[in-house]
Amino acid sequence: MLQELFTPSVQHALDIAGIFVFAISGALLAVRKNFDVFGIAVLAEATALGGGLFRDLIIGAVPPAAFTDLGYFLTPLVAAALVFFLHPEVERIQGSVNVFDAAGLGLFCVTGTTKAYEYGLGLTASAALGLTTAVGGGVVRDILANEVPSLLRWDRDLYAVPATVGATMVVLCIRFDALNALTSGFAVVTAFTLRLLAMRYHWRAPRAWNRRSAAAEETV
Amino acid sequence: MLQELFTPSVQHALDIAGIFVFAISGALLAVRKNFDVFGIAVLAEATALGGGLFRDLIIGAVPPAAFTDLGYFLTPLVAAALVFFLHPEVERIQGSVNVFDAAGLGLFCVTGTTKAYEYGLGLTASAALGLTTAVGGGVVRDILANEVPSLLRWDRDLYAVPATVGATMVVLCIRFDALNALTSGFAVVTAFTLRLLAMRYHWRAPRAWNRRSAAAEETV
Amino acid sequence: MLQELFTPSVQHALDIAGIFVFAISGALLAVRKNFDVFGIAVLAEATALGGGLFRDLIIGAVPPAAFTDLGYFLTPLVAAALVFFLHPEVERIQGSVNVFDAAGLGLFCVTGTTKAYEYGLGLTASAALGLTTAVGGGVVRDILANEVPSLLRWDRDLYAVPATVGATMVVLCIRFDALNALTSGFAVVTAFTLRLLAMRYHWRAPRAWNRRSAAAEETV
């Protein structure tokens, strides 16, 4: 068993913050897709809780936290209400939302990896599941909205790489018995910073060999 | 533990009826999408069993009822065969199918909520999972058919709201220790009636503020 | 408990081979969709492991094999790297890939059915889950790529039918107490051969009655 990384109340507050910002991104996409108020709430819930739900099913932590902690369930509804009434204002501060989303990404890749390891997964599997926790909600969001997951598209700034780096740092710390609040926090900040830099400088991942020149003729 | 709401055989017959009508709606969409006979069967199974399967995974009731009760598995195949051979006739009675689908919606939101509570979830989480049980199959159907889930679209008559009302009535009954066959039946009938009225009068949920006037220019 | 069908190491080598060829098909679709290197890896993983993951969640085998066996996780990454650098060469040998994919299909429908039965499912449910194991990864692949699952389309050669035949042979063998390495191998070979024949002679499943003549006017 790992020692507690943060005090439970701090951990919980961070989780709620991450859920909130992910829910905002789901609700904004729902508004753009012209969904009704209920669709906005569903997409907010699915985006915020989808990654953690998948993780909990995989490690056998049922019922998942999303269905046992009332705060986890109600937070996305607050986000959905906010977007419903104020979405032009929310879109105007899209930049800030992206910063919060990056914070959620950094936080979830670390807590997801840690939880997976606590449930007995190996180091590589824990990192993979931490990554899935961080990016899974966004994939569920895009599938429900019938779009190609932005995670997979080449024309989006790096998203999975920062989370992979954060998750890898956590398992390296576990491996060398150095996981504590400080190193965890450092992993969160590293993933967060890398994501901010990726957005700022439009870092992108390469596509397959021989594909770049042919891209213009592609139907995507 | 709650007392049994219905005798097991009545409960089972109601479940099979709900599964059947959901399967019909899946099979009809498969025909419209020009799928082959196997695609029709898959979409019938997924629509009929998807919501309950998700609920059972969440509450840890594995293997899910869909894989332990042969009747649950075979009923969608019967529905698929019926649609395969008779789909013009089935489409002609689409009105009746919608009535049955509304009955399935009412039934599943009540039985889903009850089962979730019996497995130890809280009241709010039970209602949320009951709602998911009722609408989940339709979402799986639309995702498999590569369409935007009709649950989320603003131009469809209310579907989730009747199920939410039914699920909420159940948890209120549990809260005040008044859940029995009579009150459960009343919740089923209320959700069923609300859905029929929503279809009859084309009740719809609002979209986000400032969005309504701009809708014409939207690409959806 | 069934006797071991194959020695564990042979079984494992066959599993890895099946995972590899399924991963190749996912990675090739990712290249065609113009995804970046990370999208290629994700689609390779999801295609290779999706079917088995679903099976393990249903039968309650958590954490799923995909997260406990490092080889299962790393193999798709090797396939993704191969496609990333060599995809024109890999596409040129698409015919061979299809042969391997058929082998994976035959293998997975047999091992999936056997594993489901070992975890206590009934014969029909075991066959259904074996079929799901074999075809599930391809469905996940197509959903992530935002395409209609090729499993469901009428204009594709038979894919589910060979797997259904293989799974049915296994449960018949179990029923008559004749499941051993020989009969299992025969079921694998039968499903494999049927799939090869379906590709060679373009066998297709019928669409719904009255639909064939009207197909030209359809929007799919």
Side-chain angles (χ1 to χ4, degrees):
Chain A
M1 192 58 172
L2 303 167
Q3 69 265 47
E4 288 297 330
L5 298 179
F6 307 103
T7 63
S9 61
V10 171
Q11 170 75 52
H12 195 258
L14 291 172
D15 273 356
I16 294 289
I19 285 172
F20 183 77
V21 291
F22 279 159
I24 294 278
S25 93
L28 282 175
L29 179 61
V31 169
R32 270 184 226 126
K33 297 285 285 190
N34 215 10
F35 291 168
D36 66 20
V37 59
F38 186 78
I40 296 170
V42 168
L43 219 57
E45 291 279 358
T47 309
L49 305 176
L53 201 63
F54 180 79
R55 178 202 59 208
D56 288 350
L57 287 178
I58 294 294
I59 60 179
V62 290
F67 280 93
T68 53
D69 185 313
L70 206 54
Y72 287 11
F73 177 75
L74 295 180
T75 301
L77 296 183
V78 174
L82 213 69
V83 168
F84 182 74
F85 289 111
L86 301 174
H87 74 93
E89 284 76 14
V90 177
E91 296 218 50
R92 208 168 299 134
I93 56 163
Q94 179 75 55
S96 337
V97 171
N98 281 338
V99 172
F100 279 101
D101 182 82
L105 185 76
L107 188 75
F108 279 17
C109 73
V110 170
T111 58
T113 304
T114 309
K115 185 165 182 182
Y117 184 76
E118 281 173 353
Y119 273 78
L121 261 59
L123 290 176
T124 309
S126 295
L129 204 49
L131 170 62
T132 311
T133 307
V135 305
V139 172
V140 173
R141 175 196 66 207
D142 295 340
I143 289 176
L144 284 175
N146 201 19
E147 305 211 322
V148 173
S150 86
L151 176 73
L152 304 175
R153 299 178 57 153
W154 73 275
D155 55 349
R156 300 294 160 96
D157 305 328
L158 288 186
Y159 194 84
V161 174
T164 307
V165 170
T168 305
M169 287 174 67
V170 172
V171 297
L172 286 177
C173 286
I174 294 175
R175 175 72 185 72
F176 295 107
D177 212 11
L179 192 70
N180 52 44
L182 193 72
T183 53
S184 291
F186 185 61
V188 171
V189 170
T190 304
F192 172 59
T193 310
L194 280 176
R195 170 63 184 154
L196 290 185
L197 290 171
M199 287 193 291
R200 176 74 184 75
Y201 296 105
H202 298 298
W203 289 344
R204 284 172 189 175
R207 281 167 294 155
W209 233 239
N210 300 331
R211 198 72 183 177
R212 269 149 253 182
S213 54
E217 313 137 38
E218 289 302 315
T219 69
V220 181
Chain B
M1 192 60 174
L2 304 166
Q3 69 265 45
E4 286 297 330
L5 299 179
F6 307 101
T7 64
S9 61
V10 171
Q11 171 73 53
H12 195 257
L14 290 172
D15 272 356
I16 294 289
I19 284 171
F20 183 78
V21 291
F22 279 158
I24 293 278
S25 92
L28 282 175
L29 179 61
V31 170
R32 271 186 223 125
K33 297 285 285 190
N34 214 11
F35 292 168
D36 66 20
V37 58
F38 186 79
I40 296 171
V42 168
L43 219 56
E45 292 278 358
T47 309
L49 305 176
L53 201 63
F54 180 78
R55 178 202 58 209
D56 289 350
L57 287 179
I58 293 293
I59 60 179
V62 289
F67 280 92
T68 54
D69 185 313
L70 206 54
Y72 287 12
F73 177 76
L74 296 179
T75 301
L77 296 183
V78 174
L82 213 69
V83 167
F84 183 74
F85 289 111
L86 300 173
H87 73 93
E89 285 74 16
V90 176
E91 296 219 50
R92 206 169 301 136
I93 56 162
Q94 179 75 55
S96 336
V97 171
N98 281 338
V99 172
F100 279 101
D101 181 83
L105 184 76
L107 187 76
F108 278 17
C109 72
V110 170
T111 57
T113 304
T114 309
K115 185 165 183 182
Y117 184 76
E118 282 173 352
Y119 273 78
L121 262 58
L123 291 176
T124 309
S126 295
L129 203 49
L131 170 62
T132 310
T133 308
V135 306
V139 171
V140 173
R141 175 197 66 208
D142 295 340
I143 288 176
L144 283 174
N146 201 19
E147 306 212 321
V148 172
S150 86
L151 176 73
L152 303 177
R153 299 178 55 152
W154 72 275
D155 56 350
R156 298 296 159 95
D157 306 328
L158 291 185
Y159 194 83
V161 173
T164 307
V165 171
T168 306
M169 287 174 68
V170 172
V171 296
L172 286 177
C173 286
I174 293 175
R175 174 71 187 73
F176 295 108
D177 212 9
L179 191 72
N180 53 43
L182 193 71
T183 53
S184 289
F186 186 61
V188 172
V189 169
T190 304
F192 173 58
T193 310
L194 281 177
R195 170 64 183 154
L196 289 185
L197 290 171
M199 287 193 291
R200 177 75 184 74
Y201 295 107
H202 298 298
W203 289 344
R204 285 173 188 176
R207 279 168 294 156
W209 233 240
N210 300 332
R211 198 71 182 176
R212 272 149 252 185
S213 53
E217 313 137 38
E218 290 302 316
T219 67
V220 181
Chain C
M1 192 61 173
L2 303 166
Q3 69 266 45
E4 286 298 328
L5 298 179
F6 307 101
T7 64
S9 61
V10 172
Q11 170 75 51
H12 195 257
L14 291 172
D15 273 356
I16 294 288
I19 284 171
F20 183 78
V21 290
F22 279 158
I24 293 279
S25 92
L28 282 175
L29 180 60
V31 170
R32 272 184 224 125
K33 298 285 286 192
N34 213 10
F35 292 168
D36 66 20
V37 60
F38 186 79
I40 296 171
V42 168
L43 218 56
E45 292 278 358
T47 308
L49 304 177
L53 201 63
F54 180 78
R55 178 202 59 209
D56 289 349
L57 287 179
I58 293 293
I59 60 179
V62 290
F67 280 92
T68 54
D69 185 313
L70 206 54
Y72 288 11
F73 176 75
L74 296 180
T75 301
L77 296 183
V78 174
L82 213 69
V83 168
F84 182 74
F85 289 110
L86 301 173
H87 74 94
E89 286 73 16
V90 176
E91 296 217 51
R92 206 170 299 135
I93 56 160
Q94 178 74 54
S96 338
V97 171
N98 281 338
V99 172
F100 280 101
D101 181 82
L105 185 76
L107 187 76
F108 279 17
C109 73
V110 169
T111 57
T113 304
T114 310
K115 184 165 183 184
Y117 183 77
E118 282 174 352
Y119 272 78
L121 261 59
L123 291 176
T124 309
S126 295
L129 203 49
L131 170 63
T132 310
T133 307
V135 305
V139 171
V140 172
R141 176 196 66 208
D142 295 340
I143 288 177
L144 282 176
N146 201 18
E147 304 211 323
V148 172
S150 86
L151 176 73
L152 304 176
R153 298 178 57 152
W154 74 274
D155 56 350
R156 300 294 161 94
D157 306 327
L158 289 185
Y159 194 83
V161 173
T164 307
V165 170
T168 306
M169 287 173 68
V170 172
V171 296
L172 287 177
C173 286
I174 293 175
R175 175 72 186 73
F176 294 108
D177 212 8
L179 191 71
N180 53 44
L182 193 72
T183 53
S184 290
F186 185 61
V188 171
V189 170
T190 305
F192 173 58
T193 311
L194 281 177
R195 170 64 185 152
L196 290 185
L197 290 172
M199 286 192 291
R200 176 75 183 73
Y201 296 106
H202 298 298
W203 290 342
R204 284 171 189 177
R207 279 166 296 153
W209 233 240
N210 300 331
R211 197 70 182 176
R212 272 150 250 182
S213 53
E217 315 137 36
E218 288 303 315
T219 70
V220 180

